[in-house]
C-alpha cells in the first residue's frame, strides 16, 4: 500500500476500501481434506497483498455442524476444527496485519445451530422455561397442536416451523427457523441474547479483528405477534413488509451492536441488509447503527445501462441522505456469479463454440462492471474468484449440498454453483486448491485457463485488470470526492465523472462507441479503431 490512508493506523479505512470476501471452504486447502482452511488463507496472503485489497471478510469459521456451511453456529467463540483453531486464527490476524490487510469475520446473530448448547438446554427444559425463551417456541394450532403456529415459510423452502418431541417423548411445541431446521431463530426480545452477542463480539475484537459482516442484519426482530404472511413467499426472497424481516425493533439491536464497536476504534461492521427500498436500507446505516450496509443494487441490476444508472443513483442518494458510505458489490456466496448472470442465454446442449462465445461475452461484461464498481465512491466488496472471471458451475445433482436443494424438494438448485473452490495452478482439478482430488464441490475440467498462475503471467487477464484497477484507485487523486456527475452518452452507454476528475465510460452495446475526451488510464478490453469496444468500460482522466 502506498498512501498514508492505507496504513493500519487509519481508523476510517472502511470508508474507501476494497474488501475481499474469502469463502473459507473454497479458498485454499492446506490440510488436504478437500475443504479450504485458515492455514490456506495464511498461505495465500501474499496473493491478497498483490491484489491490493485493504481487508478480507471471512465467511463463518466458528464451530458449526455445517448444515448451512457455517451459517449454523454451535459455538460462536471458537474456530471449527475443519478450518483450524484459535492459534491459527491469531496467526492469520498477525500475518494479515503485517501486510496491512485487515481481517473481518461473519457474525450470525439471527439464529444458532440446533447443536448449540442453548438449544439442547431449551429442548431439555420444557415449555415456558427460561431456556426455551432464548428461542421462538410456540404451541401449535389445531386440536392437537398439529398445525404450525403461523403460515411462515423458510427462506430455503418448506415451513419455517418444526415440531419437537418433549423430554417425555410426546409431540410438543414448534420452534421457528427462518432458514434450515438446523438453524433455530433466537428470541431477540430476551436480553440474554444480546448480552451473549456482546460477549462474542468482544471475544473476537479482543483478539484483534477489525470488524464483522453481520448475517441477516435485517432479521433478528420479528413482527410483534408473529402475524401470518399475507402471500406465500418465494424461496430465497422476501419483500420489505414481510413480517419475518425488516421490523423496526431491529434498529435498537444495531444501536447496541454499534455501542460495542465504538469501544474498539478503527473497527467497522457491514450488515447484510436485503431490503428493496433505498429508504429502508438507509435506516440501517444511520450514524449510530451499522458502519456499512451491503448494497445489492448492482448485483441485481443486470447488464443494462438504465438499471445500472438507477442502482448507482439510488444507492448514492440512500447513503448520502444519512451521511453513510456507499458500498458496491457484484456478487457473493449467495448469488450467481456475474460472468454467468451477464452471459447471453445459451442452452447446455448448444454447440461448444456458441457456449464459448457466450462465456466470452459474460467475462467481458463482468470485467467492464468491475471497472464501474471500482470507479465509484465508497467501499467495494469483491467475492473470491470474481477477480479471476470465474463463471458459475453447473454441478450435477449428486454434487449439490446447499440445504436449499433438499428443502425445495429439488426444485431450486441453490448456491453451490458459485461456491466451487478457486483454481490456483496447473491444468487439472483441483488446480492447486488442495492436495486432495476430492474437493467438497467438484471443480470443472476446463478451469486450467482460469488459474491464478496462468492469469498472473498474462497482462490482459481478468486478474491483471483487477490488480491494475485496484492500484489506480489507490494512487490516483482523480478518484476523490463524493458522488458522481453523469455525462451525455450514446444509447446503451453510460459515463460518469468523479469530483476528482476520473471519468468512467461503459458500453453495453455490440458496436464500438466514441470515448469521452481525456487521457485513458485503463480499459477493460482493447480499443477498436480508437473507440470503446462492445461490452467494455474505460477509465479516463
Ligand atoms: C445469509 C448468508 O449469506 C447465507 O449464506 C446464509 O445461508 C443465510 N444468511 C442464513 O444464515
Amino acid at each position: 500500500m502506498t498512501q498514508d490512508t492505507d496504513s493500519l493506523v487509519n481508523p476510517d479505512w472502511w470508508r474507501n476500501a476494497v474488501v475481499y470476501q474469502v469463502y473459507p471452504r473454497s479458498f485454499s486447502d492446506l490440510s488436504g481434506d478437500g475443504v479450504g482452511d485458515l492455514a490456506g488463507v495464511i498461505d495465500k496472503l501474499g496473493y491478497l497483498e498483490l491484489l491490493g485489497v485493504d481487508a478480507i471478510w471471512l465467511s463463518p469459521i466458528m464451530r458449526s455442524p455445517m448444515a448451512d456451511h457455517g451459517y449454523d453456529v454451535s459455538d460462536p467463540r471458537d474456530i471449527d476444527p475443519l478450518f483450524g483453531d484459535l492459534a491459527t486464527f491469531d496467526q492469520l490476524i498477525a500475518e494479515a496485519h503485517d501486510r496491512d490487510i485487515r481481517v473481518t469475520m461473519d457474525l450470525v446473530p439471527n439464529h444458532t445451530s440446533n447443536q448449540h448448547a442453548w438449544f439442547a438446554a431449551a429442548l431439555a427444559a420444557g415449555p415456558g422455561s427460561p431456556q426455551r425463551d432464548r428461542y421462538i417456541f410456540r404451541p401449535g394450532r389445531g386440536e392437537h397442536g398439529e398445525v404450525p403456529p403461523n403460515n411462515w415459510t423458510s427462506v430455503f423452502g418448506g415451513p419455517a416451523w418444526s415440531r419437537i418431541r418433549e423430554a417425555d417423548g410426546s409431540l410438543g411445541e414448534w420452534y421457528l427457523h427462518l432458514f434450515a431446521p438446523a438453524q433455530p431463530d433466537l428470541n431477540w426480545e430476551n436480553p440474554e441474547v444480546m448480552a451473549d452477542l456482546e460477549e462474542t463480539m468482544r471475544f473476537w475484537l479482543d483478539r484483534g479483528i477489525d470488524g464483522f459482516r453481520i448475517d441477516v442484519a435485517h432479521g433478528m426482530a420479528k413482527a410483534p405477534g408473529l402475524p401470518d404472511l399475507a402471500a406465500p413467499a418465494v424461496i430465497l426472497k422476501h419483500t420489505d413488509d414481510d413480517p419475518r424481516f425488516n421490523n423496526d425493533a431491529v434498529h435498537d439491536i444495531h444501536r447496541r451492536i454499534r455501542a460495542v464497536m465504538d469501544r474498539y476504534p478503527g473497527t467497522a461492521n457491514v450488515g447484510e441488509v436485503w431490503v428493496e427500498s433505498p429508504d429502508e436500507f438507509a435506516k440501517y446505516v444511520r450514524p449510530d447503527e451499522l458502519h456499512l450496509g451491503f448494497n445489492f443494487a448492482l448485483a441485481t441490476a443486470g447488464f443494462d445501462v438504465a438499471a445500472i444508472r438507477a442502482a448507482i443513483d439510488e444507492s448514492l442518494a440512500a447513503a448520502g441522505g444519512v451521511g453513510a458510505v456507499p458500498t458496491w458489490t457484484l456478487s457473493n456466496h449467495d448469488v450467481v456469479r456475474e460472468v454467468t448472470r451477464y452471459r447471453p442465454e445459451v442452452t447446455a446442449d448448444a454447440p461448444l463454440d456458441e457456449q464459448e462465445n457466450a462465456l466470452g461475452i459474460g467475462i467481458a461484461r463482468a470485467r467492464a462492471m468491475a471497472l464501474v464498481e471500482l470507479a465509484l465512491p465508497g467501499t467495494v466488496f469483491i467475492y473470491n474468484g470474481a477477480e479471476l472471471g470465474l463463471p458459475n458451475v453447473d454441478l450435477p445433482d449428486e454434487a449439490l449440498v446447499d440445504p436449499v436443494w433438499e428443502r425445495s424438494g429439488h426444485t431450486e438448485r441453490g448456491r453451490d454453483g458459485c461456491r466451487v473452490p478457486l483454481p490456483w495452478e496447473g491444468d487439472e482439478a483441483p488446480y492447486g486448491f488442495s492436495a486432495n482430488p476430492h474437493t467438497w464441490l467438484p471443480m470443472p475440467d476446463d478451469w486450467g485457463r482460469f488459474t491464478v498462475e496462468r492469469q498472473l503471467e498474462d497482462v490482459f487477464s481478468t486478474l491483471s485488470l483487477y490488480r491494475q484497477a485496484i492500484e489506480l484507485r489507490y494512487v490516483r487523486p482523480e478518484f476523490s470526492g463524493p458522488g458522481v456527475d453523469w455525462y451525455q452518452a450514446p444509447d446503451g452507454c453510460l459515463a460518469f465523472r468523479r469530483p476528482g476528475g476520473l471519468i468512467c465510460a461503459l458500453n453495453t452495446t455490440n458496436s464500438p462507441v466514441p470515448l469521452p475526451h481525456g487521457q485513458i488510464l485503463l480499459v477493460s478490453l482493447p480499443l477498436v479503431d480508437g473507440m470503446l469496444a462492445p461490452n467494455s468500460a474505460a477509465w479516463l482522466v
Side-chain angles (χ1 to χ4, degrees):
M1 301 291 165
T2 46
Q3 291 182 332
D4 281 355
T5 48
D6 297 326
S7 106
L8 283 176
V9 295
N10 173 19
D12 281 339
W13 63 274
W14 50 274
R15 290 180 175 276
N16 183 27
V18 176
V19 183
Y20 183 88
Q21 179 188 358
V22 172
Y23 193 68
R25 300 178 70 86
S26 303
F27 190 63
S28 169
D29 168 28
L30 238 59
S31 71
D33 61 0
V35 182
D37 46 43
L38 291 179
V41 183
I42 295 173
D43 189 50
K44 301 296 186 199
L45 283 172
Y47 169 72
L48 296 172
E49 190 176 9
L50 204 68
L51 187 57
V53 301
D54 295 283
I56 56 173
W57 146 35
L58 294 159
S59 283
I61 47 173
M62 296 86 90
R63 263 192 199 266
S64 163
M66 303 286 162
D68 187 21
H69 301 113
Y71 285 97
D72 49 317
V73 179
S74 54
D75 181 351
R77 298 191 278 276
D78 199 3
I79 300 288
D80 195 275
L82 189 65
F83 298 126
D85 53 22
L86 285 167
T88 320
F89 186 62
D90 291 341
Q91 187 192 342
L92 168 59
I93 298 174
E95 293 197 22
H97 284 175
D98 280 348
R99 294 177 190 266
D100 271 2
I101 297 174
R102 289 178 170 79
V103 180
T104 68
M105 64 191 289
D106 238 294
L107 193 66
V108 189
N110 181 70
H111 44 266
T112 69
S113 158
N114 61 352
Q115 307 292 310
H116 190 290
W118 274 9
F119 198 70
L123 294 184
S129 61
Q131 290 86 341
R132 233 168 238 202
D133 188 54
R134 293 170 179 147
Y135 294 91
I136 304 180
F137 279 87
R138 294 285 184 279
R141 294 173 297 168
E143 202 182 329
H144 306 289
E146 72 282 8
V147 183
N150 69 15
N151 71 354
W152 290 5
T153 47
S154 140
V155 174
F156 293 164
W161 297 91
S162 289
R163 195 171 189 189
I164 61 158
R165 285 203 177 268
E166 301 294 352
D168 64 3
S170 63
L171 277 171
E173 290 191 309
W174 298 74
Y175 69 90
L176 179 71
H177 51 85
L178 292 187
F179 296 91
Q183 293 166 294
D185 278 56
L186 286 161
N187 171 18
W188 276 89
E189 289 174 11
N190 182 331
E192 260 190 275
V193 172
M194 185 76 230
D196 190 68
L197 185 79
E198 289 175 344
E199 194 177 330
T200 298
M201 291 173 68
R202 287 192 295 266
F203 178 86
W204 298 110
L205 290 163
D206 287 340
R207 296 194 103 86
I209 67 147
D210 302 286
F212 299 102
R213 177 266 189 187
I214 300 188
D215 189 59
V216 203
H218 55 301
M220 299 180 274
K222 314 294 186 274
L226 310 182
D228 274 350
L229 277 164
V234 176
I235 291 177
L236 291 176
K237 289 206 166 44
H238 49 79
T239 54
D240 292 355
D241 54 3
D242 185 319
R244 301 171 301 169
F245 295 103
N246 191 37
N247 290 291
D248 276 350
V250 76
H251 296 291
D252 291 332
I253 300 170
H254 284 301
R255 288 187 194 101
R256 297 281 299 270
I257 291 176
R258 180 59 178 258
V260 176
M261 299 304 286
D262 284 347
R263 277 183 248 130
Y264 293 82
T267 62
N269 284 344
V270 55
E272 182 202 25
V273 184
W274 270 113
V275 295
E276 289 168 338
S277 132
D279 292 339
E280 285 302 305
F281 178 84
K283 291 184 186 167
Y284 288 82
V285 287
R286 289 177 287 198
D288 58 349
E289 298 196 35
L290 289 163
H291 299 77
L292 300 169
F294 270 115
N295 158 25
F296 299 108
L298 282 184
T300 49
F303 196 66
D304 170 88
V305 284
I308 295 166
R309 184 169 167 166
I312 294 173
D313 278 340
E314 286 171 10
S315 306
L316 288 173
V322 288
V325 172
T327 67
W328 313 100
T329 191
L330 296 174
S331 52
N332 65 29
H333 64 293
D334 291 330
V335 302
V336 174
R337 284 189 178 276
E338 55 267 43
V339 165
T340 304
R341 292 201 317 267
Y342 297 147
R343 187 185 62 175
E345 282 285 331
V346 61
T347 54
D349 55 0
L352 196 61
D353 58 338
E354 230 175 84
Q355 300 201 31
E356 283 297 304
N357 186 44
L359 175 64
I361 294 175
I363 293 174
R365 291 175 173 173
R367 291 167 63 109
M369 287 305 293
L371 291 201
V372 171
E373 73 168 346
L374 286 164
L376 290 165
T379 288
V380 176
F381 289 83
I382 297 170
Y383 177 47
N384 60 195
E387 80 282 15
L388 303 177
L390 294 183
N392 243 54
V393 180
D394 239 338
L395 293 163
D397 290 3
E398 60 278 11
L400 299 178
V401 291
D402 183 349
V404 171
W405 176 237
E406 284 304 322
R407 293 282 301 164
S408 68
H410 296 184
T411 57
E412 293 286 333
R413 301 189 71 72
R415 301 157 294 175
D416 295 316
C418 69
R419 298 176 176 177
V420 169
L422 260 56
W424 292 94
E425 61 191 31
D427 290 312
E428 272 174 35
Y431 308 101
F433 162 73
S434 170
N436 188 334
H438 302 292
T439 50
W440 75 282
L441 291 171
M443 301 177 70
D445 291 338
D446 65 347
W447 271 20
R449 56 177 153 172
F450 290 117
T451 62
V452 170
E453 179 186 46
R454 185 86 60 95
Q455 297 203 37
L456 280 176
E457 287 163 1
D458 175 2
V459 287
F460 299 111
S461 68
T462 303
L463 177 56
S464 296
L465 180 76
Y466 264 90
R467 285 181 62 196
Q468 292 170 73
I470 293 171
E471 184 176 4
L472 288 168
R473 196 175 184 273
Y474 280 116
V475 299
R476 298 290 306 212
E478 292 88 352
F479 285 77
S480 59
V484 299
D485 286 327
W486 294 101
Y487 278 20
Q488 287 282 0
D491 279 354
C493 298
L494 59 76
F496 60 82
R497 184 181 182 279
R498 295 278 302 273
L502 174 80
I503 298 164
C504 177
L506 170 71
N507 177 9
T508 68
T509 73
N510 292 322
S511 315
V513 295
L515 280 163
H517 291 296
Q519 178 205 332
I520 292 183
L521 270 190
L522 190 61
V523 284
S524 67
L525 288 180
L527 299 183
V528 177
D529 299 331
M531 295 198 282
L532 187 58
N535 298 311
S536 81
W539 285 353
L540 303 100
V541 290

